[in-house]
Amino acid sequence: MNEAFALGTDGVAITGFIVLFVLMLLRVPVGMAMGLVGVTGYSYLVGAGPALKLVGQTSMRTVTDYTFGVIPMFILMGAFVSNSGVSRELFRAANTLVGHLKGGLGIATVVACGGFAAICGSSVATAATFANVAYPEMRRYGYPQTFSTGVIAAGGTLGAMLPPSTVLAVYGIITQQDIGKLFAAGVLPGILAMSMYVITVALIGLVRPKFLPAGTPSTWTERIKGLRDVWAPLLLFAFVIGGLYGGLFTPTEAGGVGAGGAFVLGVLRRRLSRALIRKSLLDATRTSAAVFTVLIGAILFGYFLTVTQTPQKVTLFLTGLGLGRYGVLVLIMLMYLVLGCLMDAMAMIILTVPIIFPVITALGFDPIWFGVIIVMTVELGLIHPPVGMNVFVIKSVVKDVSFTTIFLGVIPFVITDLIRLAILISFPIIALYLPGRMG
């Protein structure tokens, strides 16, 4: 052990990060790569015996921890909702209300994405779903490919912010923050995001009148029917999040109530057949297994970082740059924008938060507020060029569109996201108002 430390923990830590990125470039799954580097590094510095014991203890503790149960429960809720056709109903309801306006189908897509994301909790799933649901409708009414794909990619990012957000839940677990407060903190910024996207669509229609067509007006009968189709899932969301906000449930209990409620609603409304129930359970199991693999790998990698004292050293380095607290914050945000070109949202959060979080607390920023800021920056990484996860998802669904076309479509929404990020940094109360009232 002493000989290992004599080689320099800084050198070992740097080598570990280089190996980790090489493994990810070689397409080794992120969780596996982090676990492998973490165990190997820990074994080198402390010993093989303690490292192997750590693997067993960490794996068992993670999959049996009651707090971590919030993740598979909300994933299961999203699977039931997704497979019961709620996305199509939400889009149809929003379309009856605003589809007749110039750019109305774009507004309907944003609103429906927000409603679906609020129940589903996954950005990638939201983008993939509405590439199937909204894109054909927009093309049928003559909307250009750039706009159609751009608005779906941007609307999909709402899944990372609106509760129940898997990314916010994982952030809460890593930083030991109250997940209920984090979910509450995401509500107003999520509504702000939806509102600003709607305004962006309206401005595009105003600046370029011939670019976005208007749809066919719906009758009041059609509007009432559309709203009647979506009241049940929206009521479920309000009950789950309201119960969480009001202290009626813990986050894990809220996930269980949400999953159970989504199942009952799907069955009673005859939207979930036996085959779809089986598919939902399999989808949720696969997704949860992937998330837990990454979590276990991240925890093992975190032990390695602790031994090398990397978080403390990074904190000393960044706080000693003389940039001021907001200067350091901007530097961290720029790092996330660059990482957005290399990895997905979950991997970014899990890899970087254990290192960055001590810096944030040392600078005196509120950890709940920072959770919202970091997730919002990760959202931006999902759509900004040259690599955006949502862009790749849409391309995989819509075969006849190029990456260039999608990226041209998301540019107005990237600008909107940057403005929104500046607003939330300038006015933290937007994110902290609801958590502050939870007590």
Side-chain angles (χ1 to χ4, degrees):
M1 180 175 170
N2 291 333
E3 289 178 7
F5 273 98
L7 294 175
T9 53
D10 290 351
V12 176
I14 291 168
T15 303
F17 275 103
I18 292 171
V19 172
L20 177 62
F21 280 109
V22 169
L23 289 173
M24 286 195 293
L25 287 173
L26 293 173
R27 297 191 177 278
V28 175
V30 175
M32 297 292 185
M34 293 175 77
L36 185 62
V37 172
V39 172
T40 305
Y42 193 88
S43 176
Y44 178 76
L45 293 170
V46 179
L52 292 174
K53 189 180 292 184
L54 202 62
V55 174
Q57 290 175 344
T58 301
S59 303
M60 183 58 68
R61 190 168 61 245
T62 303
V63 298
T64 58
D65 192 308
Y66 175 78
T67 306
F68 286 19
V70 66
I71 295 173
M73 286 295 99
F74 276 123
I75 288 173
L76 182 59
M77 175 184 171
F80 281 138
V81 168
S82 181
N83 287 317
S84 60
V86 169
S87 56
R88 198 169 296 278
E89 292 171 347
L90 284 166
F91 180 71
R92 195 182 300 123
N95 188 26
T96 60
L97 294 174
V98 295
H100 62 285
L101 302 173
K102 189 175 287 293
L105 279 180
I107 296 171
T109 300
V110 170
V111 173
C113 279
F116 184 74
I119 306 168
C120 169
S122 168
S123 293
V124 171
T126 304
T129 301
F130 281 90
N132 278 314
V133 172
Y135 180 78
E137 284 295 304
M138 282 193 275
R139 293 295 291 151
R140 187 161 68 86
Y141 280 96
Y143 281 73
Q145 281 188 324
T146 49
F147 176 83
S148 302
T149 52
V151 76
I152 293 168
T157 64
L158 296 169
M161 177 59 64
L162 287 163
S165 163
T166 308
V167 179
L168 271 177
V170 170
Y171 171 86
I173 289 168
I174 294 172
T175 58
Q176 297 183 334
Q177 298 299 310
D178 188 313
I179 296 173
K181 288 188 175 182
L182 280 167
F183 282 173
V187 173
L188 293 182
I191 293 171
L192 177 67
M194 283 178 60
S195 304
M196 290 184 71
Y197 283 162
V198 167
I199 291 168
T200 302
V201 173
L203 286 175
I204 292 171
L206 194 65
V207 173
R208 302 178 66 182
K210 296 180 180 178
F211 188 63
L212 301 180
T216 309
S218 301
T219 64
W220 278 106
T221 304
E222 290 171 327
R223 291 174 180 175
I224 292 167
K225 183 181 181 302
L227 291 172
R228 193 172 63 234
D229 287 339
V230 298
W231 72 267
L234 293 181
L235 183 64
L236 173 65
F237 166 75
F239 177 64
V240 170
I241 299 303
L244 194 58
Y245 179 72
L248 191 62
F249 316 126
T250 65
T252 306
E253 289 167 349
V257 169
F263 172 75
V264 170
L265 283 176
V267 172
L268 290 179
R269 299 169 76 218
R270 297 182 181 178
R271 304 294 166 82
L272 282 176
S273 63
R274 285 188 178 182
L276 286 176
I277 292 169
R278 184 171 178 272
K279 183 178 184 300
S280 300
L281 292 170
L282 286 172
D283 289 346
T285 302
R286 290 192 187 104
T287 306
S288 299
V291 172
F292 273 94
T293 300
V294 177
L295 265 177
I296 292 167
I299 293 168
L300 292 171
F301 189 71
Y303 283 116
F304 167 61
L305 293 179
T306 302
V307 173
T308 58
Q309 295 187 323
T310 300
Q312 296 91 321
K313 290 169 183 174
V314 170
T315 302
L316 286 173
F317 173 73
L318 290 177
T319 53
L321 288 175
L323 297 174
R325 61 204 296 255
Y326 285 100
V328 173
L329 181 66
V330 170
L331 201 62
I332 292 170
M333 296 300 102
L334 289 173
M335 177 198 75
Y336 278 109
L337 290 178
V338 172
L339 283 178
C341 300
L342 305 172
M343 61 183 72
D344 63 35
M346 188 68 74
M348 273 194 280
I349 293 287
I350 287 174
L351 177 61
T352 59
V353 166
I355 303 168
I356 296 302
F357 189 70
V359 180
I360 292 303
T361 52
L363 291 170
F365 288 114
D366 188 284
I368 299 290
W369 168 81
F370 181 68
V372 172
I373 294 295
I374 196 176
V375 169
M376 193 166 287
T377 310
V378 165
E379 278 181 25
L380 185 51
L382 291 172
I383 58 172
H384 80 73
V387 180
M389 187 63 65
N390 277 13
V391 174
F392 275 85
V393 168
I394 290 169
K395 170 63 179 169
S396 70
V397 176
V398 185
K399 307 291 184 184
D400 66 335
V401 66
S402 68
F403 285 116
T404 304
T405 300
I406 304 173
F407 279 125
L408 282 172
V410 300
I411 287 172
F413 299 99
V414 169
I415 295 168
T416 301
D417 279 347
L418 291 171
I419 295 169
R420 176 162 49 101
L421 202 52
I423 290 171
L424 277 162
I425 290 173
S426 303
F427 303 100
I429 189 64
I430 297 172
L432 296 177
Y433 177 74
L434 291 180
R437 294 177 66 87
M438 288 177 70

